[in-house]
Amino acid sequence: MDDEGPSALLEYAEFLVQRHPLAKEPVSTPVDIQRPAGESVVGAIKRLSMTYPMLDRQALLHETSSFMMQHMMQGRAAMEVIDDLEIYFREQYELHRVKQGDVADS
């Protein structure tokens, strides 16, 4: 390739991007998984992870562990902890949507 080749290639790529802009990747919607009666906190975390597959599990690990400890070590009722987990996951999903720029249909 001569000296002008890379520059011409870059100009062509810029032309293509202008002509065919990259589509914004849609944020997947949560999977509707019903909360079973008598669900455990561990079961709820698994269900909510499957409900919100677009969320980074590693990023949620610290907070979900905290909820688990509230139940196991502090004796907080499973139903209360699960209610809070559902709120937490929903909030994280909404934050994810905002970060992705997918808030127009809220």
Side-chain angles (χ1 to χ4, degrees), residues 10-81:
L10 182 58
E11 287 175 14
Y12 181 63
E14 289 171 348
F15 165 76
L16 288 176
V17 168
Q18 288 175 356
R19 189 101 190 258
H20 306 283
L22 297 173
K24 181 176 73 171
E25 186 177 317
V27 175
S28 60
T29 57
V31 178
D32 186 19
I33 303 173
Q34 296 298 310
R35 179 176 173 175
E39 182 177 45
S40 69
V41 174
V42 172
I45 293 170
K46 288 179 183 179
R47 173 179 55 84
L48 290 166
S49 293
M50 290 187 296
T51 298
Y52 298 98
M54 71 292 294
L55 299 179
D56 179 7
R57 290 182 187 188
Q58 283 295 77
L60 302 175
L61 183 62
H62 177 73
E63 197 66 30
T64 55
S65 296
S66 174
F67 283 112
M68 175 65 81
M69 288 299 116
Q70 290 175 23
H71 173 61
M72 295 182 73
M73 303 300 281
Q74 299 169 5
R76 191 162 173 232
M79 187 179 293
E80 291 175 13
V81 173

